[in-house]
Amino acid sequence: MALVAVHARLAAAASSASPPLRSAASCTRLRALSTVTGTRLSIRHQQRRRWRRPRRAAAIAASLDLNEDNVRLAIDEAKAELGQLFDTSVGITGQVDLAELDGPFVKLRLKGKFWHTRATVLARIGNYLKNRIPEILEVEIEDEKQLDDSPAAF
């Protein structure tokens, strides 16, 4: 009997010209009830359900050849792209530099303080470099001591 009453209320709401605004919780309940009872939701509610936030288009950058200048360029681009890792306005003084390029293996040098752990910074920069320059096989740290996050290390 209660299901019939709910079904009647949903049908009346769907047929009315301007249904009242509902909270997110009641919309979820209505959506669940409408699938159980098989009724259609109002056009306004259907339009609200279909709306999605537009996604930002990712900038597609052309691949670079593997040489020291392009690796340095990609590191500078990574600093701009991954701005949170290198935001100097909050006291981050961390620097990432190219230490050595040995064929498809890149060694980086880390200096200063970072917001994230140094291992995270190395991984994110490494992923960026590998995506930007596909010839890179591995991105390593110059010295394992540079991964030490203790204040005494910098």
Side-chain angles (χ1 to χ4, degrees), residues 1-131:
M1 184 71 174
L3 188 58
V4 173
V6 169
H7 181 57
R9 285 178 55 201
L10 283 174
S15 65
S16 67
S18 60
L21 294 176
R22 295 178 179 90
S23 68
S26 66
C27 287
T28 305
R29 276 187 254 119
L30 273 177
R31 195 175 311 125
L33 287 174
S34 68
T35 56
V36 169
T37 61
T39 60
R40 295 193 57 191
L41 297 174
S42 68
I43 293 172
R44 186 174 181 185
H45 186 73
Q46 289 174 9
Q47 289 171 345
R48 211 175 2 197
R49 283 182 49 196
R50 274 185 264 179
W51 183 82
R52 298 282 188 252
R53 180 186 311 200
R55 292 183 177 210
R56 291 188 312 193
I60 300 173
S63 298
L64 297 174
D65 293 330
L66 181 61
N67 60 42
E68 286 190 23
D69 292 333
N70 286 343
V71 172
R72 285 190 177 95
L73 175 68
I75 290 172
D76 291 339
E77 289 174 355
K79 288 178 184 179
E81 185 80 21
L82 306 172
Q84 181 187 9
L85 293 176
F86 302 100
D87 188 7
T88 57
S89 66
V90 292
I92 298 173
T93 61
Q95 291 293 319
V96 176
D97 297 314
L98 175 65
E100 181 183 342
L101 179 61
D102 184 22
F105 302 101
V106 176
K107 288 192 178 183
L108 298 177
R109 178 180 303 123
L110 299 178
K111 295 184 276 188
K113 285 199 278 186
F114 293 96
W115 183 264
H116 300 281
T117 63
R118 290 168 170 254
T120 302
V121 172
L122 179 65
R124 299 226 14 224
I125 293 287
N127 286 338
Y128 187 88
L129 290 176
K130 287 178 186 178
N131 287 332

